[in-house]
Amino acid sequence: MTRDSTDIRVEAGGDGVVVVTLDRPAALNAYTTRMCEQLADALDGFARADDQRVLVLTGAGRGFCAGGDLRGDAEETKAAERQLGHAVVMREGMHAVVRRLAALDKPTIAMVNGPAVAGGLTLALACDLRIAADTAVLGDPSGTAGLLPDEGGAWLFPRAMGLDAALKMVLLGETYGAEQARALGLVTEVVPAAELRERTMQLAGALAARAPLAVRLAKRMMRRGLELTLDQSLGDAELAVLVTNDSDDAREGVEAFRGRRPPVFRGR
């Protein structure tokens, strides 16, 4: 599934849930060019696999992702020295990952087990849901190092928390505890750290058991709807029901409702 899986781990269970773990715990899972390549490959594999219905993204150890690794690596440093090097490194690295996450029509959940800052916060916000441990810290202190919210945060942060709060966070380099982050709109749900995985996998399992066609089209419609007029969104809905309403899953759903039994959806 990946070129070299030393910086991430991919676990695919039989329940349709895939867990992708950033695996550089000594660096709080700060990303490098190599990690981004591996993560992009894992997302491509998930997108192609019909039996994989939900993706959970998390970090190994005590961190989710501390953003870009400011220590860098030899490959990245050499690439950045070329003309337009920094732009190319970003475009082919974290930007490629964020684009892939945003393009997925399957549900994604960030299981925020620890610090999710700068590019790490961007990764979390690129997922559909964010379940955070009550010990997690989120924010963007990159400006304190003279850097920018350049991984996608400049687009994602205002949409999650409003422009004024996003400006305050970025310009002052603020980070927040999990409950404050939830109040600001950065987190969907906060749970005790000891219950984080159980709660996240419970949600992931519930999503995986839903009708895949309806879930994927509903996600696509709502994401696109943020950029469309009402009339355009209604036009999307008219096309989408041509796929869902005559599907085997829709018939199964109605029969299960009438028979008072749990439905078994097969994604067709």
Side-chain angles (χ1 to χ4, degrees):
M1 183 179 292
T2 64
R3 296 185 181 103
D4 178 0
S5 297
T6 57
D7 288 342
I8 68 169
R9 287 185 279 113
V10 181
E11 306 164 72
D15 58 355
V17 178
V18 177
V19 179
V20 176
T21 303
L22 309 180
D23 197 15
R24 300 185 71 232
L28 289 178
N29 304 310
Y31 70 82
T32 62
T33 298
R34 185 174 67 173
M35 177 188 278
C36 289
E37 291 173 348
Q38 295 168 18
L39 186 51
D41 281 351
L43 294 173
D44 287 343
F46 171 71
R48 290 190 297 264
D50 289 339
D51 60 333
Q52 297 178 1
R53 299 183 179 183
V54 180
L55 182 137
V56 174
L57 180 64
T58 192
R62 59 187 184 87
F64 177 78
C65 177
D69 192 339
L70 297 184
R71 297 172 301 179
D73 56 43
E75 179 184 347
E76 185 169 328
T77 301
K78 184 177 180 180
E81 289 173 351
R82 297 196 299 265
Q83 188 176 23
L84 300 179
H86 289 292
V88 172
V89 167
M90 187 63 69
R91 183 179 67 224
E92 296 179 356
M94 184 51 72
H95 285 183
V97 171
V98 171
R99 283 190 174 102
R100 281 168 168 80
L101 274 172
L104 286 172
D105 55 10
K106 301 178 187 181
T108 57
I109 304 174
M111 182 164 65
V112 184
N113 54 305
V117 296
L121 178 57
T122 297
L123 271 181
L125 288 174
C127 296
D128 300 315
L129 303 174
R130 286 154 299 286
I131 312 303
D134 56 2
T135 53
V137 175
L138 303 94
D140 188 358
S142 56
T144 59
L147 300 173
L148 297 170
D150 49 14
E151 295 100 339
W155 192 89
L156 288 163
F157 297 163
R159 284 168 169 77
M161 58 196 307
L163 179 59
D164 56 343
L167 282 170
K168 182 173 180 285
M169 177 181 71
V170 169
L171 298 184
L172 295 176
E174 293 183 340
T175 58
Y176 313 107
E179 285 292 354
Q180 187 177 2
R182 185 189 61 79
L184 288 168
L186 297 175
V187 169
T188 310
E189 187 175 326
V190 177
V191 299
E195 301 172 13
L196 177 63
R197 186 175 181 88
E198 179 183 0
R199 174 57 178 159
T200 303
M201 298 308 291
Q202 179 187 47
L203 284 173
L207 283 170
R210 310 280 295 177
L213 290 175
V215 167
R216 295 173 72 168
L217 283 169
K219 173 179 172 177
R220 182 177 295 185
M221 288 169 60
M222 294 179 73
R223 288 269 189 170
R224 277 175 48 82
L226 293 173
E227 312 296 331
L228 301 178
T229 65
L230 173 60
D231 192 57
Q232 290 169 328
S233 182
L234 292 174
D236 269 9
E238 292 167 8
L239 294 175
V241 296
L242 297 177
V243 176
T244 56
N245 287 21
D246 288 329
S247 68
D248 290 345
D249 277 354
R251 284 187 282 274
E252 165 65 9
V254 172
E255 290 174 8
F257 176 79
R258 290 172 176 168
R260 298 184 178 181
R261 61 173 176 81
V264 179
F265 296 117
R266 305 190 184 280
R268 58 178 185 262

